[in-house]
Each structure stands twice: as C-alpha cells, then as structure tokens.
Amino acid sequence: MNHLLNYTLQIADNALILGHRLSEWCGHGPILEQDIALTNLSLDLVGQARSLYQYAAKVEGHGRTEDDMAYLRDEMDFKNVLLVEQKNGDFGRTIVRQFLFDAYHLPFYEALQRSHDETLAAIAEKSLKEVTYHLRYSSEWMIRLGDGTEESHRRVQTALDELWRYTAELFQPSATDEAMLAEGIGVDLGAVKSRWESTVAEILRVATLQQPDSNWMQNGGKAGRHTEHLGYILAEMQYLQRVHPGAEW
Amino acid sequence: MEKKNWPLWEVFIRSRQGLHHKHAGSLHAADEQMAIENARDVYTRRNEGISIWVVESKHIHASSPAESEALFDPANDKVYRHPTFYDIPDEIKHM
C-alpha cells in the first residue's frame, strides 16, 4: 500500500465531503448572511481538497488528475471519516457537525505543518488560517444556539447526542496513520485528541450543553466502510462526470 | 415562536493602510461579533479590506433631506472659501 497516497487522500476526502455537504446550503441558508458564510467555509474546504488531490495524483504517478480523484472513485475508495458525510439536518445540526470537526481540524493542521513532507506541510500552513476562522465561527454559533432559546438549546443538544458517536473515529489511527507518524510525515492523533477534548469541553461549558456520556462509537470511514449517506453524496457530486466523461467547463 | 428580524448594521471597510474606512453597505446580524463576521464574509471575500467597522444602523443620525437647503445652499455662493484665487507658480507641481 502507498501510505503517502492513502494519507493524502484521507485528508483530502474529509475536506471535499464536508465542503460538499456545506455547499448544499447554498441558497437555503437561514438568512442571506449565513448562507454566504456557510458557502465560504465550503469553498475553503473544496480548495484544500483540490491542493491535496493534485498532490495525491502526483504521488500516485499514474497520470490521474485531481478530477479523477474527486469524481471517478467509488464509495469504498473514499477514506473520509463518517462525521463529515452526515446529513446537514437543520442549521444547528450543521453547526454541531462543523464544530466537532473544526476542533479536530485546527490542531491536526497545526501538527501537519511540521510534517517532513514539504508539500503536506505547506498545504497545512495555508489551510490553517482558513480553519482557524472556521473554528471561531462554529464555536460562536455553538454558544449562541446552546445558550440561546429553549428550542435552539434542545436542537443542538439533540444533534450533539446523535453526532457524538462519530467523534472517536477522528482519533483512531488507521494503518496509514501509524505508518506516516513513524516516518515523521503524519500527525500524532493522540496529541490532537487532547487538544480536541479541551476545546470541546470549554465550548460546551460556555454553551450550557451537556457532553454526551455514551461510549458507543461508530467507525469505518478511513477503511472505506461508510454510512448510507456517502453513496447519495457521490451520486449527486459525480453525476456529471459519470454521464459525460471528461466534460469540462 | 416569535419571528424577529436581527438588527441592521452599517459596514465600513478600510481597503488599504492609510485610507479611510468607507461605507460598504449594510447587513443583518444578532450581535456585533456576528456583524463583523458577516461583514467579513459578505464584503471582503475578494480581498477588499484590511479592517472592518460595524455600527448598528439605529445609532447613525442623519441630516434630513428637508433641511438640505438650509444646511448646504449657503455654501454655494461663498466662492472665496475655495482656494482658487492663488496663482500657482509653474515650478510647483502636484498641487
């Protein structure tokens, strides 16, 4: 197995799938300003995915392009974590999903900046500025909604309880994660986890939300075993390239 | 549930160091923090700014159009307030 290729795809797939989910809000945001805010996050993530797919294609060296990586791989080939493919639900649920991922994404990129792989380090450095804003945005909304009205509190607490089961996977090292860490290219997920835990505990406290105590966790995304939702995402996202192979703008 | 609109905010953007903040437009936001973030997302996505001011629209006091004659017309016939009566020597450029 080409671990560097696999590792780059893990990071890229997270960004693309979450970016695609957020793009579904385009034209449907609760108000115009938040519609634009969510699609801005989406564009940041799709941009990160592009840089990573370009690098993945180069690492693979079989003449595939970034578009092949995004549009012509099947569900089992996608290595994103289950959290990012979960449905948008209402605005509160989208925020909870975003917050849980941002709280991981920021320390992840911070550590990846020190990767021995220069390209990954450079992509991490560039992405870090974007992700810093993402976490700020989603944290503030967690607080506003959690410490808001009775209804907003109920909705985000419910979303938190439902999405919590997808959080452990973020820190469960795949064989690729372990191999890359050993080579000084990958990130130590244990260190990322402790950062994540303190961010989440702090924001939930301020937001007056209850941290779920359930230990029942789902995983499989990094190995290509996905929830039912990813297939629908890919069906929509890849439709054009599948029906009109090679179509370009 | 009661549906209330978020307050309106006026957005001022400074495009470059040394320039003034200029009025860019307005937007809705629940509080000042959200107003700045919304302004960032709505008005600076194409590199328009390096600094943002927001102020709730209700705090802006404006002159009334009905008073414009009294306020502004008297300045019309006082040409001597404009520095147009000096001969500038040719040697001085950039005036």
Side-chain angles (χ1 to χ4, degrees):
Chain A
M1 186 192 281
N2 185 336
H3 281 307
L4 180 57
L5 170 64
N6 216 29
Y7 193 65
T8 308
L9 287 175
Q10 275 183 200
I11 309 168
D13 291 344
N14 280 342
L16 181 68
I17 298 302
L18 186 58
H20 183 83
R21 271 299 189 215
L22 289 170
S23 78
E24 294 172 359
W25 273 106
C26 187
H28 300 276
I31 65 164
L32 177 69
E33 287 84 351
Q34 293 309 320
D35 192 297
I36 295 174
L38 288 174
T39 41
N40 264 350
L41 303 192
S42 168
L43 284 173
D44 286 345
L45 290 167
V46 173
Q48 293 169 17
R50 282 196 60 190
S51 306
L52 290 159
Y53 284 138
Q54 285 164 10
Y55 185 50
K58 196 176 139 198
V59 168
E60 186 189 48
H62 293 338
R64 289 207 283 178
T65 67
E66 52 176 313
D67 284 345
D68 296 326
M69 296 296 180
Y71 295 125
L72 297 176
R73 282 184 307 141
D74 284 327
E75 191 183 337
M76 287 176 305
D77 305 322
F78 271 78
K79 302 168 201 319
N80 59 279
V81 292
L82 303 179
L83 177 66
V84 297
E85 69 200 37
Q86 299 309 307
K87 286 180 149 183
N88 285 338
D90 57 22
F91 180 74
R93 190 182 162 96
T94 293
I95 290 295
V96 172
R97 185 187 63 202
Q98 192 65 34
F99 170 69
L100 292 173
F101 188 73
D102 290 342
Y104 153 87
H105 218 189
L106 179 79
F108 176 83
Y109 274 140
E110 268 177 13
L112 191 64
Q113 280 187 115
R114 297 185 292 274
S115 170
H116 289 169
D117 185 286
E118 281 177 21
T119 307
L120 288 181
I123 294 172
E125 192 187 340
K126 180 168 179 287
S127 308
L128 191 59
K129 288 180 195 156
E130 298 170 340
V131 171
T132 303
Y133 183 78
H134 296 183
L135 179 60
R136 173 178 148 167
Y137 172 86
S138 58
S139 300
E140 280 171 9
W141 270 110
M142 285 294 284
I143 294 167
R144 261 187 217 111
L145 296 173
D147 193 19
T149 65
E150 215 170 282
E151 182 176 6
S152 69
H153 179 90
R154 179 180 58 74
R155 287 194 188 207
V156 288
Q157 183 66 59
T158 305
L160 187 62
D161 294 343
E162 285 173 12
L163 292 171
W164 193 252
R165 71 192 62 158
Y166 302 112
T167 54
E169 187 191 12
L170 292 165
F171 313 106
Q172 242 161 35
S174 63
T176 288
D177 286 326
E178 280 169 356
M180 288 290 93
L181 177 61
E183 287 187 41
I185 292 175
V187 165
D188 176 9
L189 292 175
V192 173
K193 185 180 185 191
S194 59
R195 291 274 308 278
W196 182 86
E197 283 172 340
S198 64
T199 307
V200 169
E202 170 64 11
I203 297 297
L204 294 191
R205 186 185 62 75
V206 180
T208 71
L209 292 163
Q210 207 65 41
Q211 182 161 321
D213 52 13
S214 164
N215 288 324
W216 186 71
M217 291 290 170
Q218 292 276 297
N219 62 65
K222 291 181 186 181
R225 294 191 311 277
H226 291 280
T227 59
E228 63 179 297
H229 308 300
L230 184 65
Y232 290 98
I233 295 177
L234 297 184
E236 186 177 356
M237 192 178 80
Q238 298 184 336
Y239 171 82
L240 198 100
Q241 275 301 322
R242 300 285 190 184
V243 175
H244 305 283
E248 280 183 44
W249 284 102
Chain B
M1 197 184 82
E2 192 190 358
K3 287 244 179 190
K4 274 198 292 191
N5 264 334
W6 289 339
L8 192 66
W9 299 73
E10 301 299 323
V11 179
F12 300 84
I13 307 274
R14 166 189 268 177
S15 55
R16 271 188 295 130
Q17 208 65 260
L19 294 183
H20 297 289
H21 285 75
K22 269 177 73 175
H23 187 233
S26 55
L27 49 75
H28 291 277
D31 53 48
E32 62 270 18
Q33 194 60 44
M34 197 199 290
I36 287 185
E37 282 168 19
N38 287 350
R40 179 257 192 196
D41 284 330
V42 176
Y43 291 111
T44 68
R45 358 176 20 225
R46 298 181 188 84
N47 251 333
E48 292 95 334
I50 55 160
S51 166
I52 298 172
W53 285 351
V54 292
V55 60
E56 248 192 280
S57 307
K58 69 177 182 193
H59 293 308
I60 292 191
H61 299 270
S63 63
S64 152
E67 293 171 326
S68 69
E69 283 184 15
L71 287 175
F72 307 118
D73 284 0
N76 271 348
D77 57 358
K78 300 191 173 54
V79 285
Y80 49 84
R81 287 183 182 164
H82 298 273
T84 49
F85 297 95
Y86 302 96
D87 288 327
I88 298 170
D90 293 339
E91 292 77 24
I92 298 180
K93 304 203 166 63
H94 308 301
M95 279 290 280

